[in-house]
Amino acid sequence: MTTAGAAEPPTGAGAQPQTSRYSDTPAETLWGNVEPVPEDATLGPTGRPLRLVPDPPPLQRHGDALVIAMCNQKGGVGKTTSTINLGAALAEYGRRVLLVDLDPQGALSAGLGVAHHDLELTVHNLLIGSKVVVDDVLLQTRIENLDLLPSNIDLSAAEIQLVNEVGREQSLGRALEPLRSQYDYILIDCQPSLGLLTVNALACSDGVIIPMECEYFSLRGLALLNDTLDKVRDRLNPRLRLYGIVVTMFDARLLHSRQVMARVVEVFGDLVYDTAIARTVRFPDASVAGEPITTWAPKSGGAEAYRSMAREVIHRSNL
Ligand SMILES: Nc1ncnc2c1ncn2[C@@H]1O[C@H](COP(=O)(O)OP(=O)(O)OP(=O)(O)O)[C@@H](O)[C@H]1O
Ligand SMILES: [Mg+2]
């Protein structure tokens, strides 16, 4: 059987379930009061009819941030790209957003034009409990409403330095606590591993968004990631939820892409965002420019896709 064949698409009318075996949340709860889908609605990239997601209303007050870990132990699937651009799109909608770089590669910081190699104070200092206050590490980006806690290679020492600490899994949560009142969303860009840094992110998050490259082998890693989420939920953070899966690097012209998408929707149901992020060279180009795509190429399909995802995230979280 070819790899594409192994991801056989569902067939027949009842093939796209409304709930997922990974979530006992009924679709109505996940989606709030979404208008009923008209019979002649256009099919979206997921193969489902596109739901109408309203433009987010302005917020009357800010704070009590929802903390979201952008997590997938597989490398190069679009975690950092999604963190930057979802964050920038949420900020465009008037939400106050903090991005946390939790990867020693510092790609999130670099992608926002921060010369992270030269930074003295980073997330590392916050984690290892040095006498640094969070305001000394916090950076404003060039985007209104979008702030950053940057990282660089110093963070690679943290896993070893934290090993003998009491409450080592809660180090990030302790550091972020004073900031929750200032933001609406805190997005944490995880590194491609399920080590102690990622566990720190999961231990202090309300939910997880999994960016998944639209490729057959990506499906395999999701089971392991789900096991980790279960363990963290049992042992460290009972409120942790899987908010959703965003399929990245999607190419609707390719049968393989459509088959993988159908399989993800079959397994995860409504947890899959209606928005899929298409594969385009404009994302790497925007990273080189050190800007989100929403400002670097504001009218591009990529910018519109992350705005559409932001509307789904706001609608689902009711913030
Ligand atoms: N939709 C897309 N289309 C084309 N290229 C993309 C897309 N999304 C991300 N990329 C590119 O793919 C590469 C990997 O993306 P990204 O760094 O966001 O992944 P990651 O999951 O954070 O990687 P890592 O696991 O190394 O942290 C980058 O060069 C990025 O510019
Ligand atoms: Mg990354």
Side-chain angles (χ1 to χ4, degrees), residues 154-225:
D154 292 351
L155 188 59
S156 56
E159 299 225 358
I160 294 166
Q161 288 167 314
L162 287 176
V163 138
N164 292 319
E165 290 284 325
V166 178
R168 57 181 180 260
E169 293 93 352
Q170 269 89 17
S171 308
L172 182 65
R174 278 194 297 275
L176 294 183
E177 196 50 45
L179 294 171
R180 284 185 85 136
S181 60
Q182 298 171 37
Y183 294 95
D184 303 311
Y185 291 94
I186 298 179
L187 306 183
I188 307 171
D189 183 27
C190 296
Q191 64 175 352
S193 98
L194 295 174
L196 185 54
L197 285 174
T198 301
V199 170
N200 259 271
L202 298 176
C204 69
S205 290
D206 298 288
V208 180
I209 292 178
I210 305 177
M212 194 206 104
E213 183 183 355
C214 197
E215 196 257 346
Y216 175 69
F217 289 104
S218 301
L219 286 164
R220 297 186 170 180
L222 295 192
L224 175 65
L225 180 50

Side-chain angles (χ1 to χ4, degrees), residues 76-81 101 103 105 107-108 189-192:
V77 298
K79 294 181 287 295
T80 303
T81 305
D101 193 348
D103 184 346
Q105 293 179 84
L108 177 73
D189 183 27
C190 296
Q191 64 175 352

